[in-house]
Amino acid sequence: QDIQGVYEAIIMIGALTGKDTEAATLAAQMQADFAALKETAGVSGTIYFEVSPLEYGLWTAGTGNFMQEIADILGLENIFADLDGWAQVSEEQVIARNPDYIVTLTPDYETGVTPTEEILNRLGWESITAIQNAAVYFAGNPLTRPGPRLAEGALALRDALTTP
């Protein structure tokens, strides 16, 4: 559920596989990477994490999970921080909360339309700041899976949000 849980899972898997030292090193490196990222994030504004696309019902990250922690590390305000865990939301809620950034975690569609294109072209979403500024990004596996590459995913997100 959270970044601390990722560290604990890495240590546990290391113990189970006889790779205690490697696991401890990996967990320590992740902690250092997140600490450095927090010091240099340079991002501000509001963010909406779209975990599930519109066609399946919008789901997002609230508090109490690694996505909220990544928003905090980057200096961003999760527009759904008032919800617990993973939560279903409506289009109207997203529009009303008007995020500066939208990050989709949905893999590419088989239709040839990318998730970012689909979001940028949603009817009724034209007033959202993220849509107006084309600040919609796809986050790949490193950010969507609570594992060893999570810090890498957070860094990639920061870079995407700070690149003009």
Side-chain angles (χ1 to χ4, degrees):
Q1 284 291 353
D2 57 18
I3 294 172
Q4 182 61 41
V6 173
Y7 302 145
E8 291 168 5
I10 289 169
I11 298 299
M12 181 175 38
I13 292 168
L16 291 170
T17 60
K19 302 282 186 182
D20 296 303
T21 303
E22 294 89 339
T25 300
L26 177 58
Q29 184 60 56
M30 285 181 68
Q31 289 174 319
D33 290 347
F34 276 122
L37 186 56
K38 188 171 188 166
E39 293 298 317
T40 62
V43 185
S44 64
T46 58
I47 192 165
Y48 161 58
F49 293 105
E50 186 166 294
V51 177
S52 175
L54 183 59
E55 68 180 301
Y56 301 117
L58 296 177
W59 282 80
T60 192
T63 58
N65 60 57
F66 64 94
M67 291 297 217
Q68 176 63 51
E69 289 179 286
I70 288 172
D72 293 340
I73 288 167
L74 294 178
L76 295 164
E77 179 186 342
N78 178 357
I79 65 167
F80 289 107
D82 60 321
L83 303 178
D84 290 327
W86 307 101
Q88 190 166 20
V89 296
S90 68
E91 286 187 84
E92 293 78 14
Q93 287 174 296
V94 177
I95 293 165
R97 294 181 188 213
N98 191 23
D100 296 314
Y101 304 102
I102 297 174
V103 174
T104 178
L105 310 175
T106 304
D108 287 341
Y109 295 142
E110 295 176 10
T111 63
V113 176
T114 67
T116 54
E117 290 171 330
E118 188 274 325
I119 292 169
L120 284 167
N121 293 301
R122 283 183 185 161
L123 295 177
W125 286 45
E126 303 86 10
S127 65
I128 297 175
T129 301
I131 302 297
Q132 293 173 352
N133 295 331
V136 178
Y137 306 95
F138 170 70
N141 283 339
L143 189 65
T144 61
R145 299 179 195 260
R149 295 177 38 202
L150 194 56
E152 175 188 321
L155 177 61
L157 177 59
R158 188 273 322 259
D159 290 348
L161 299 182
T162 58
T163 301

